[in-house]
Amino acid sequence: MGRENSLTVQHVTKYHTSPQGDRLCVLSDVNLTVEPGEFVSIVGPSGCGKSTLLRLILGLDTDYEGRILVGDQPVTRPGLDRGIVFQEHRLFPWMTVFENVAFGLSEHAAHRRDTVRHYINLVGLSDFENAYPHQLSGGMRQRVAIARALVSQPQILLLDEPFGALDAFTRVQMQQELIRIWSQEGTTMVIVTHDIDEAVYLGDRVAIMSKRPGTFRKEYAVRLVRPRDHGSDDFLQIRRAIHREFFGEVEVPFAYTI
């Protein structure tokens, strides 16, 4: 796999201006390297800048200090080399599954229909391509969102709390589906999540962000074979270490035991 699938964030600092005119530092000297085909999980407290970082990687905001590279190319604007899945599926309710997935692909793309059907099949919805979003469950709608993000074959897929609105059972199912898709497609993936179990289950590495201004304070390599067992001693050991690191900084208003 070529270096074009890599992601490099170098010394990125981002400020926001409040309605009162105050300049607030949201991200401070953020550095991150994601290798081609790697799956990296990012966890951190609310308001630490996790979603802001994804916006910068997408190219939706270029007003920052530092550099962001996809392969050797600096990010200067949105592009098809980067896709994203949000917590809300953001499907068009008047479009079918096929039409929603096809929306992310140029009308002039070669083999457009076959490509769309490939990704609908990849997420396990080949029997639902003519269904509308209101006819699908929450998990199925997120599968459509993943297919739409992948149909343009991005080099990097960003996931911003993609399963946060799902019930616990569906969330676990979707985590398993995402790993299957990642294994099959080999797409470089970065997920932002508040769920430490999810971060450990999905990621080759878990990167922990500090409270605002956000920066990466520690990383944990997750060298566990897949599929991972949430209840195994090795899984729980990594989970405990991340909890200790995370809650060592975040004030928790109740007793938390593992």
Side-chain angles (χ1 to χ4, degrees):
M1 186 176 294
R3 290 294 305 171
E4 66 272 9
N5 289 62
S6 66
L7 171 67
T8 306
V9 178
Q10 297 178 329
H11 304 295
V12 166
T13 296
K14 169 66 180 175
Y15 291 90
H16 282 161
T17 302
S18 73
Q20 294 75 31
D22 298 322
R23 202 161 180 248
L24 304 175
C25 186
V26 181
L27 298 170
S28 177
D29 195 29
V30 172
N31 293 277
L32 179 69
T33 299
V34 183
E35 297 298 329
E38 191 176 19
F39 201 138
V40 171
S41 301
I42 298 175
V43 297
S46 296
C48 72
K50 301 184 298 296
S51 294
T52 296
L53 178 60
L54 293 194
R55 285 180 55 84
L56 302 186
I57 295 170
L58 272 176
L60 295 175
D61 185 347
T62 57
D63 182 19
Y64 60 88
E65 301 169 11
R67 292 204 308 166
I68 298 176
L69 306 173
V70 174
D72 297 325
Q73 299 301 311
V75 171
T76 58
R77 60 181 182 272
L80 294 179
D81 56 348
R82 285 147 288 141
I84 190 165
V85 179
F86 297 98
Q87 181 173 342
E88 298 177 357
H89 55 77
R90 303 193 181 187
L91 302 179
F92 299 113
W94 60 87
M95 290 186 179
T96 65
V97 167
F98 184 95
E99 291 166 340
N100 267 286
V101 175
F103 187 82
L105 197 63
S106 167
E107 292 185 5
H108 304 293
H111 311 295
R112 183 172 183 265
R113 180 169 294 275
D114 290 343
T115 300
V116 172
R117 284 184 168 155
H118 166 77
Y119 284 99
I120 291 173
N121 182 65
L122 181 69
V123 298
L125 292 176
S126 56
D127 293 334
F128 295 89
E129 68 174 47
N130 294 317
Y132 290 89
H134 74 272
Q135 298 172 311
L136 307 176
S137 68
M140 294 167 76
R141 288 193 288 267
Q142 279 301 76
R143 291 185 190 209
V144 178
I146 291 170
R148 184 173 61 183
L150 288 171
V151 73
S152 57
Q153 300 175 324
Q155 293 161 9
I156 297 168
L157 181 63
L158 307 172
L159 302 114
D160 191 1
E161 290 281 350
F163 310 137
L166 304 178
D167 64 84
F169 181 75
T170 305
R171 185 171 189 144
V172 171
Q173 286 186 315
M174 289 302 300
Q175 290 168 4
Q176 294 169 346
E177 282 296 296
L178 185 61
I179 287 297
R180 179 185 64 79
I181 292 166
W182 169 73
S183 301
Q184 185 168 331
E185 294 293 291
T187 306
T188 304
M189 294 192 183
V190 178
I191 187 169
V192 160
T193 178
H194 287 98
D195 187 328
I196 293 175
D197 270 47
E198 181 169 84
V200 176
Y201 185 80
L202 295 175
D204 296 314
R205 284 185 288 139
V206 179
I208 302 175
M209 290 189 76
S210 67
K211 59 188 176 183
R212 194 180 70 232
T215 192
F216 287 112
R217 53 196 296 248
K218 193 161 187 177
E219 286 188 1
Y220 288 85
V222 186
R223 299 187 181 93
L224 302 178
V225 296
R226 302 180 191 274
R228 293 172 177 167
D229 179 358
H230 288 268
S232 72
D233 290 341
D234 290 338
F235 189 100
L236 292 174
Q237 184 176 354
I238 295 172
R239 178 176 175 266
R240 289 189 186 101
I242 295 172
H243 268 285
R244 283 194 296 269
E245 182 72 27
F246 188 70
F247 289 123
E249 180 180 80
V250 179
E251 294 182 4
V252 183
F254 53 84
Y256 194 96
T257 58
I258 299 173

